[in-house]
Amino acid sequence: MKNNLFAGLTVSLPDELTEVLCRSSGVRIERIVSRGHCSPPGFWYDQAETEFVLLVKGRAGVLFEGEPQPRVLEEGDWVEIASHARHRVEWTAPDQDTVWLAVFC
Amino acid sequence: MKNNLFAGLTVSLPDELTEVLCRSSGVRIERIVSRGHCSPPGFWYDQAETEFVLLVKGRAGVLFEGEPQPRVLEEGDWVEIASHARHRVEWTAPDQDTVWLAVFC
């Protein structure tokens, strides 16, 4: 069996899609699909886990607290987000799917 | 800072390239770049860890022991390889880079 990260994407995507692909001994691997979605105003992610996130497809702007501008992520870009490093998704491409692979550990 | 999974690929690639991108509490995330490389005859990977592997770019054939044919992996395909599930890379595309993201945990 194999699976594809781009499979099962629907025409309508009212909310961001998050699916756990794999879970093993303290690790969780997720596919996240955004289509113009972003973090609500004033919201910051503040996670207990370390997150490694790869932008596989699409485009996004991720703002880290204390940085003047969002980091623009494009295909193949990845960042390691330390535990409790506050960040938010400022924007994702409105006209295409942005597909993320996130590893939480 | 951000990093790109496709950065720093060289013209010459005599051996398969493996780099640890991130290491955290029992998890290791690697980029592997193959260009026609495959497992030596008779060699089987037999790993103590679980491996989640995503083929980000390129094409490869991965044979699992007991299966009649290699699974052909293309862009976006991923497999979860259980601990000690013996497998080998039968082939990778000879004419392009095959870029893997592997999570060992």
Side-chain angles (χ1 to χ4, degrees):
Chain A
M1 201 187 81
K2 65 178 188 179
N3 309 273
N4 192 282
L5 209 61
F6 308 124
L9 299 182
T10 52
V11 175
S12 167
L13 192 66
D15 296 315
E16 202 166 56
L17 177 71
T18 300
E19 290 166 285
V20 176
L21 304 182
C22 176
R23 199 189 288 271
S24 173
S25 58
V27 181
R28 192 173 75 257
I29 303 178
E30 292 183 354
R31 167 174 88 160
I32 302 162
V33 183
S34 320
R35 196 183 293 159
H37 300 95
C38 60
S39 303
F43 173 85
W44 293 91
Y45 288 97
D46 184 345
Q47 301 163 159
E49 300 151 305
T50 298
E51 178 181 355
F52 170 98
V53 67
L54 168 68
L55 194 147
V56 184
K57 193 181 156 89
R59 217 154 171 270
V62 179
L63 181 65
F64 286 79
E65 195 176 44
E67 295 188 0
Q69 299 289 342
R71 304 185 197 180
V72 176
L73 302 187
E74 299 179 295
E75 290 188 13
D77 285 339
W78 60 269
V79 287
E80 183 181 341
I81 304 173
S83 166
H84 296 298
R86 282 158 58 94
H87 63 284
R88 46 182 278 114
V89 178
E90 284 290 315
W91 56 266
T92 57
D95 52 350
Q96 62 174 309
D97 289 328
T98 292
V99 180
W100 316 76
L101 186 84
V103 181
F104 298 90
C105 53
Chain B
M1 201 188 81
K2 64 177 189 179
N3 309 274
N4 191 282
L5 208 61
F6 309 124
L9 299 183
T10 52
V11 175
S12 167
L13 192 66
D15 296 314
E16 202 166 57
L17 177 72
T18 300
E19 290 165 285
V20 176
L21 304 182
C22 176
R23 200 189 289 268
S24 174
S25 57
V27 181
R28 191 173 76 257
I29 302 178
E30 292 183 354
R31 168 175 85 160
I32 302 163
V33 183
S34 320
R35 197 182 294 158
H37 300 95
C38 59
S39 303
F43 174 84
W44 294 91
Y45 289 99
D46 184 345
Q47 301 164 161
E49 300 151 305
T50 297
E51 178 181 355
F52 170 98
V53 66
L54 169 67
L55 193 146
V56 184
K57 193 180 154 88
R59 215 154 172 270
V62 178
L63 181 65
F64 286 79
E65 197 177 42
E67 296 188 359
Q69 301 288 342
R71 303 185 198 181
V72 176
L73 301 187
E74 299 179 294
E75 290 188 16
D77 285 338
W78 61 270
V79 286
E80 183 181 342
I81 304 174
S83 165
H84 296 299
R86 283 159 56 95
H87 63 284
R88 46 182 279 114
V89 178
E90 284 289 315
W91 55 268
T92 58
D95 52 348
Q96 63 174 309
D97 289 328
T98 293
V99 180
W100 314 76
L101 185 85
V103 181
F104 297 91
C105 53

